[in-house]
Amino acid sequence: MLIRGSRKYNFRHNKERMQPLPFGQMINGQGLGLVSKYRYGICPMSFNGCEVIAVHNALVYLGKPQKLADIAFYMEKFRVLMGFFGCNVYRTGKALSHFGAEFDYSRNIGDSDIFILSYWTGRRFLSSIHTVFCIKTGEGYNVYNRFNNCPTVRFYRTADELTKSKRPIAVYSIKKEN
């Protein structure tokens, strides 16, 4: 018997009990559709799956798509308080490396063209952390999974607008292979 919320329970739930997500497509709106019912830690992914979704979106963009259930299973090693607080944002790079993506870690967006950004949604330590996948364009930044209930890519003109003028917690600048 598997314990609800354990790595193996969640993996079985995500692989066998859930209808598979369309393979190789970006995910927006973690609280919408099938992805909201996937499990990570002790919660549904609609509550705490933003780091897993950011890694998924980065891998899709790089042309190295993986099944969301496989990414979540690997990242369960890095969950915080049984996954209630999602994934340790300082371990996102381990998942990127595991699935074959190269990156540089930073605390600033700087000149990053493709990156995963983790930031406080409100006051430091008094609010939640959210993690998104971003692509810099000529006009600004396209942000994937910006909000829980937003099914589309959001656009921001500046990095300050994107981070709400707050300092990022972690930035993983992803290197695109030629």
Side-chain angles (χ1 to χ4, degrees), residues 109-110 117 141 156-166:
I109 294 172
L117 167 70
Y141 298 90
Y156 295 90
R157 294 197 186 284
T158 66
D160 282 343
E161 187 181 336
L162 169 61
T163 61
K164 300 179 187 174
S165 298
K166 295 180 177 128

Side-chain angles (χ1 to χ4, degrees), residues 28-169:
N28 281 299
Q30 71 190 61
L32 303 172
L34 287 174
V35 71
S36 68
K37 294 169 181 52
Y38 275 64
R39 295 195 56 81
Y40 181 75
I42 60 173
C43 303
M45 212 171 279
S46 61
F47 182 75
N48 64 355
C50 58
E51 292 88 7
V52 175
I53 292 169
V55 169
H56 173 272
N57 286 342
L59 294 172
V60 168
Y61 182 80
L62 291 173
K64 301 178 178 189
Q66 300 290 321
K67 292 181 180 175
L68 186 65
D70 295 336
I71 297 169
F73 181 70
Y74 180 78
M75 292 182 74
E76 288 261 4
K77 299 178 192 178
F78 312 121
R79 61 189 187 179
V80 178
L81 195 60
M82 295 178 54
F84 185 76
F85 291 117
C87 180
N88 181 342
V89 296
Y90 299 109
R91 297 290 181 249
T92 304
K94 288 215 180 256
L96 288 170
S97 293
H98 177 78
F99 292 107
E102 294 185 33
F103 66 92
D104 289 321
Y105 171 81
S106 177
R107 300 257 336 230
N108 298 307
I109 294 172
D111 294 332
S112 301
D113 291 331
I114 308 162
F115 57 96
I116 291 177
L117 167 70
S118 296
Y119 61 94
W120 292 102
T121 59
R123 295 185 68 191
R124 288 175 65 187
F125 302 109
L126 298 176
S127 66
S128 61
I129 292 173
H130 190 52
T131 302
V132 294
F133 173 67
C134 308
I135 301 170
K136 185 176 184 180
T137 66
E139 299 84 35
Y141 298 90
N142 287 329
V143 181
Y144 294 82
N145 194 37
R146 175 64 166 174
F147 299 109
N148 203 16
N149 59 354
C150 180
T152 61
V153 177
R154 297 297 296 249
F155 176 78
Y156 295 90
R157 294 197 186 284
T158 66
D160 282 343
E161 187 181 336
L162 169 61
T163 61
K164 300 179 187 174
S165 298
K166 295 180 177 128
R167 185 173 177 201
I169 298 169

